[in-house]
Amino acid sequence: MKNQTVAVSACRRYDAKLIKEALLKTIEGIGGLEPYLEKGKTVLLKINLILGKAPDRHATTHPAFVEALAQILTEYGMQVILGDSPGGPFNTAALRHVYKATGMTEMAERCGIRLNENTGSIEVENPNGKFMKRLTMTAMLQDADYVISVCKLKTHSMMTYTGAAKNLFGTVPGTVKADYHVRMPDAMDFADALVDICEAADPVLSFMDAIVGMEGNGPTAGTPRPIGAVLASPNPYALDTVASGIIGLKPEQIPLLKQAMARGLLDPARVQTAGEDPQTFFIADYKMPDHIESDLYRMKLPSWLATPLTKLTRAKVRFDPKACVGCGICRDNCPAEVITMRESDTYKGRRPQVDYKKCIRCFCCQELCPQEAVTVQESFIYRIANKL
């Protein structure tokens, strides 16, 4: 088990100078960079660029945060690469679009930082994986000696919360992610797959942009929420334990952390903090997704009852025909291929239609909709049962 120290520092604004000061405090809190990075080597900053949204939407790691961290690492003596495999196709044109939209292109050009454009893939043996003994991953991993997870604190409609560990899902190339969703449609199984991917990517450090997080229907359609914190840790699961605690969640409520605990990769009782007290940043009314597709029933009920009840009350995605522009991105990125585009009798152009019997409730359509026209609605039975 990796060192479970999590360093926390206050930072209220996206000013690269202020962020750099906060990051240096967190680095000091985890014992400096020397125990983790050898000078002169190359490090991949695996940033969160899930969708081509502007920085002020706070769906992605903020460029000022990345700039400050890259500057620290460069001054330390590292060669820095920035990269991610966002949702959708993983090709040079799509990647450049996302870099530009998220503010990374302008920042990288101004600061002389390399943006990854290697869109190849590699096969990685993962003998310690539970489900994923062999993984298809992005070839950019071969271009670096180390990986650092540089994430954003957000809620997540399928997995409740996303942070340092889930950020490594972006080391899987574009549409290959869809295959993994289909193979593990259950939230807890998918959580184990995410742990497998995180372990295969093996981040040496994790840093979190929690200056402004996202609440509600994250990871892309939620609302920005000021938090004012910067976090760092050698252990991504420990970082996520502390960060999720700031927004009122326990590790047992987050499928990924629950599975990490079961596999001996996280012991919340042994997580230690350095620097600021995380409770300083606690937000009691942080809004969760309208529907949390986590294993709530299995936490409260025996499995023989929880499993059929979960299937009976599963949420459905709904499309706002007024906000929808008929672009077809939801259809093109549906892992289960259950969305079709049909001409509307009421609205001009095509609108999505879903085969709910085959829908796996991964909510990729919600995550990747550029118009935020997709919502997740829980059933009436779910609302009643969850109060039991």
Side-chain angles (χ1 to χ4, degrees):
M1 183 184 297
K2 291 182 177 179
N3 180 346
Q4 294 192 119
T5 300
V6 181
V8 185
S9 183
C11 186
R12 305 290 178 182
R13 291 191 291 117
Y14 283 105
D15 178 289
K17 181 179 179 182
L18 296 177
I19 298 171
K20 183 177 180 180
E21 292 173 358
L23 283 169
L24 287 170
K25 290 179 182 178
T26 63
I27 291 170
E28 180 182 359
I30 58 174
L33 295 175
E34 291 81 3
Y36 313 104
L37 300 170
E38 180 182 345
K39 293 181 180 181
K41 299 288 187 177
T42 301
V43 58
L44 170 67
L45 300 189
K46 197 288 168 191
I47 49 185
N48 185 335
L49 302 181
I50 183 173
L51 197 61
K53 291 198 171 188
D56 61 4
R57 301 299 299 276
H58 298 287
T60 57
T61 315
H62 199 283
F65 189 92
V66 180
E67 175 183 347
L69 180 57
Q71 186 177 34
I72 290 171
L73 294 168
T74 300
E75 292 172 353
Y76 175 72
M78 306 300 296
Q79 301 294 317
V80 177
I81 306 173
L82 308 182
D84 190 16
S85 170
F90 188 48
N91 56 52
T92 303
L95 200 52
R96 287 177 177 174
H97 166 74
V98 172
Y99 284 148
K100 183 176 181 179
T102 57
M104 293 298 166
T105 300
E106 187 278 330
M107 180 275 294
E109 290 177 350
R110 175 168 47 80
C111 300
I113 303 171
R114 176 182 166 189
L115 292 173
N116 170 67
E117 290 194 353
N118 181 352
T119 58
S121 62
I122 55 174
E123 296 300 311
V124 177
E125 297 297 331
N126 191 33
N128 294 323
K130 182 174 180 179
F131 288 122
M132 320 296 283
K133 299 291 187 181
R134 184 179 177 84
L135 285 159
T136 300
M137 304 186 79
T138 55
M140 65 181 173
L141 293 172
Q142 292 183 321
D143 297 333
D145 301 294
Y146 304 100
V147 174
I148 292 179
S149 178
V150 188
C151 60
K152 187 83 167 177
L153 193 161
K154 299 184 289 183
T155 48
H156 194 282
S157 290
M158 182 184 183
M159 304 307 292
T160 306
Y161 156 95
T162 177
K166 190 180 182 303
N167 185 40
L168 277 304
F169 191 41
T171 59
V172 174
T175 54
V176 177
K177 298 187 190 74
D179 176 58
Y180 293 165
H181 269 296
V182 172
R183 288 168 58 185
M184 275 78 61
D186 178 82
M188 300 308 287
D189 289 345
F190 186 61
D192 259 319
L194 291 174
V195 173
D196 287 347
I197 293 166
C198 183
E199 291 300 293
D202 192 23
V204 65
L205 290 171
S206 296
F207 292 89
M208 174 173 277
D209 169 8
I211 298 170
V212 177
M214 176 175 281
E215 65 178 355
N217 295 321
T220 61
T223 304
R225 183 70 183 265
I227 301 169
V230 171
L231 295 86
S233 179
N235 188 316
Y237 312 110
L239 189 153
D240 286 338
T241 298
V242 173
S244 60
I246 289 173
I247 63 173
L249 291 169
K250 298 178 181 179
E252 295 81 9
Q253 294 175 287
I254 302 169
L256 191 155
L257 294 184
K258 186 176 182 181
Q259 301 307 79
M261 286 188 288
R263 293 165 63 167
L265 299 169
L266 169 68
D267 181 355
R270 296 175 59 188
V271 172
Q272 298 181 332
T273 59
E276 301 273 354
D277 182 351
Q279 287 299 305
T280 304
F281 308 95
F282 178 70
I283 302 174
D285 63 346
Y286 206 88
K287 189 177 184 302
M288 294 295 116
D290 290 340
H291 174 84
I292 300 175
E293 186 73 4
S294 57
D295 219 355
L296 297 178
Y297 296 129
R298 292 183 188 177
M299 298 175 192
K300 299 178 181 180
L301 301 172
S303 60
W304 63 268
L305 179 58
T307 298
L309 186 58
T310 298
K311 292 180 179 179
L312 179 65
T313 61
R314 296 183 78 185
K316 290 184 178 181
V317 290
R318 300 295 187 188
F319 296 85
D320 181 348
K322 294 182 180 180
C324 177
V325 297
C327 64
I329 288 176
C330 55
R331 175 202 59 197
D332 297 342
N333 291 281
C334 176
E337 300 181 353
V338 299
I339 299 176
T340 56
M341 302 297 294
R342 299 178 183 175
E343 291 296 326
S344 172
D345 295 331
T346 308
Y347 299 92
K348 183 178 179 180
R350 302 176 306 162
R351 294 295 184 270
Q353 298 291 322
V354 183
D355 182 348
Y356 289 110
K357 292 182 179 180
K358 297 179 181 179
C359 176
I360 63 173
R361 276 73 174 178
C362 63
F363 309 135
C364 289
C365 53
Q366 182 198 35
E367 288 186 26
L368 300 178
C369 177
Q371 306 301 320
E372 298 182 11
V374 187
T375 57
V376 180
Q377 295 183 352
E378 61 190 32
S379 70
F380 174 76
I381 298 174
Y382 177 94
R383 291 197 296 270
I384 298 300
N386 200 40
K387 293 178 180 179
L388 296 177

